[in-house]
Amino acid sequence: MGDAPNKISITICGDGGCGKSSITLRLVRSEWVHEYDPTIEDSYSVTRTIDGEQYFLSITDTAGQEEYRGLWAASNLKSDAFLLVYDITSESSLSALDYFMDMIEMETDQRAEDNLRLLKQLGDSARGVEVGMAAPVRIVAGNKCDLKDNRVISARDGLEYARKHNSGFMETSAREIVNIEETFALLVRRVVEARREHHEYNQELTKPTRHVGFSLKKTPTNALSKKESDANLAKPQRQSIFSGLLKGNRREKAEQEQTEKREKNTTEQEPPEGETPSRWKRMCC
């Protein structure tokens, strides 16, 4: 991410003479330059309040001529956003953006690889920390839209080119002040969104793995040892055995008492020797 949450670096690129410097100066100084003066590289800074937040924009206006493209510094590719400008009156200016798109695509892939490498190196310490940079934001701007009579690139063609390269799209006019502030506001909003998505993605990757049930490495506080578990398992078995024996003894004792009682009653009911049964019944009565 950038040096500060509200600091955003923007690189403006495109073919020579398409109006990059005119757009930059219209934003920074509210000036319009109608004379073409080839730029090698100029840097500007400006603050803007967007959606209630103040942002510090660091803008780099780069050379468009093919002979100067090799001067692109590595720092330019580390920008948060890129504004790719073409001239709607020059068909070749749109195809010239292919070079810059390829460079930005390589930078996007490189950032993704660097982010993963950093996350692996930091491990758990990367949790809750901003790691790496978000993917760069791109917006294609068809400049000089005030020259309607000289237009050779339609708005539809410009939009299709932008969609093909996963970029935003605007048509601008530095002279008529058309979509200048709006274009940079869109860049800022997309950078804020890209940073948010980057942060959420990193947090998802560093989220601790959740296990079903308790961890195998940590014994639960209410867990019993194997010895205690075996003892508890054996205890009910022993109790059931003892209780069975007691029940069996009690049953045998009860049966014996009932047998003795029946024998006693039988003995009492038999008449003594020498007496008649009728007399014995009368005595019992």
Side-chain angles (χ1 to χ4, degrees):
M1 295 185 65
D3 297 332
N6 287 6
K7 181 178 180 181
I8 296 176
S9 56
I10 301 172
T11 293
I12 302 179
C13 50
D15 200 12
C18 64
K20 300 184 301 297
S21 298
S22 298
I23 291 175
T24 304
L25 293 175
R26 178 60 84 178
L27 176 77
V28 176
R29 301 176 184 172
S30 297
E31 297 178 355
W32 179 65
V33 180
H34 63 280
E35 294 181 356
Y36 175 58
D37 183 16
T39 302
I40 296 179
E41 184 171 300
D42 291 327
S43 298
Y44 305 90
S45 61
V46 65
T47 57
R48 284 293 185 274
T49 300
I50 300 171
D51 300 332
E53 290 285 339
Q54 190 175 53
Y55 295 92
F56 178 82
L57 308 183
S58 176
I59 302 173
T60 302
D61 180 16
T62 61
Q65 291 77 10
E66 190 172 352
E67 60 268 24
Y68 292 135
R69 291 176 187 174
L71 299 177
W72 255 46
S75 58
N76 291 335
L77 286 173
K78 296 302 179 183
S79 296
D80 297 306
F82 293 87
L83 181 61
L84 298 100
V85 183
Y86 71 90
D87 181 354
I88 68 166
T89 66
S90 172
E91 189 172 357
S92 62
S93 66
L94 182 60
S95 58
L97 296 182
D98 292 344
Y99 170 82
F100 302 103
M101 283 293 187
D102 291 341
M103 297 285 287
I104 297 170
E105 285 288 349
M106 288 189 290
E107 172 63 19
T108 302
D109 295 339
Q110 186 61 50
R111 290 188 193 183
E113 293 178 4
D114 292 343
N115 292 343
L116 290 176
R117 177 174 48 80
L118 287 172
L119 288 174
K120 289 181 180 180
Q121 290 177 352
L122 294 175
D124 292 340
S125 61
R127 204 169 301 148
V129 180
E130 299 295 343
V131 177
M133 292 184 67
V137 170
R138 290 171 285 182
I139 288 183
V140 175
N143 195 34
K144 304 182 183 180
C145 66
D146 57 288
L147 302 178
K148 299 178 181 179
D149 295 337
N150 299 325
R151 177 190 288 271
V152 295
I153 302 175
S154 67
R156 180 182 294 274
D157 291 339
L159 177 60
E160 289 180 355
Y161 180 87
R163 286 177 175 174
K164 178 182 176 181
H165 293 86
N166 299 318
S167 306
F169 176 75
M170 296 285 279
E171 282 202 334
T172 61
S173 172
R175 183 170 69 175
E176 299 294 334
I177 319 178
V178 176
N179 289 335
I180 301 301
E181 292 285 349
E182 291 81 358
T183 298
F184 283 90
L186 180 59
L187 279 169
V188 170
R189 292 189 182 101
R190 294 206 170 188
V191 168
V192 172
E193 179 65 16
R195 288 176 174 178
R196 183 189 64 80
E197 292 178 354
H198 172 71
H199 175 73
E200 291 179 354
Y201 179 70
N202 282 357
Q203 295 309 302
E204 186 66 25
L205 290 180
T206 56
K207 186 181 296 184
T209 304
R210 295 182 179 180
H211 300 282
V212 178
F214 59 90
S215 173
L216 296 176
K217 295 182 180 180
K218 184 178 180 180
T219 303
T221 55
N222 59 346
L224 299 175
S225 66
K226 186 176 185 303
K227 184 177 181 180
E228 291 172 338
S229 299
D230 293 341
N232 288 342
L233 289 174
K235 186 175 181 181
Q237 294 177 358
R238 290 197 296 268
Q239 289 178 349
S240 61
I241 293 172
F242 294 150
S243 60
L245 292 174
L246 290 174
K247 289 180 181 178
N249 293 337
R250 289 171 186 164
R251 192 181 301 111
E252 291 177 359
K253 185 176 181 180
E255 290 176 354
Q256 183 177 1
E257 289 177 354
Q258 289 178 0
T259 302
E260 292 176 355
K261 187 175 181 181
R262 285 196 297 269
E263 291 177 352
K264 182 178 180 181
N265 292 337
T266 303
T267 304
E268 290 177 352
Q269 291 177 3
E270 291 179 354
E273 295 181 0
E275 294 186 4
T276 61
S278 59
R279 183 181 176 185
W280 174 249
K281 291 180 180 181
R282 287 197 297 270
M283 290 180 65
C284 292
C285 296

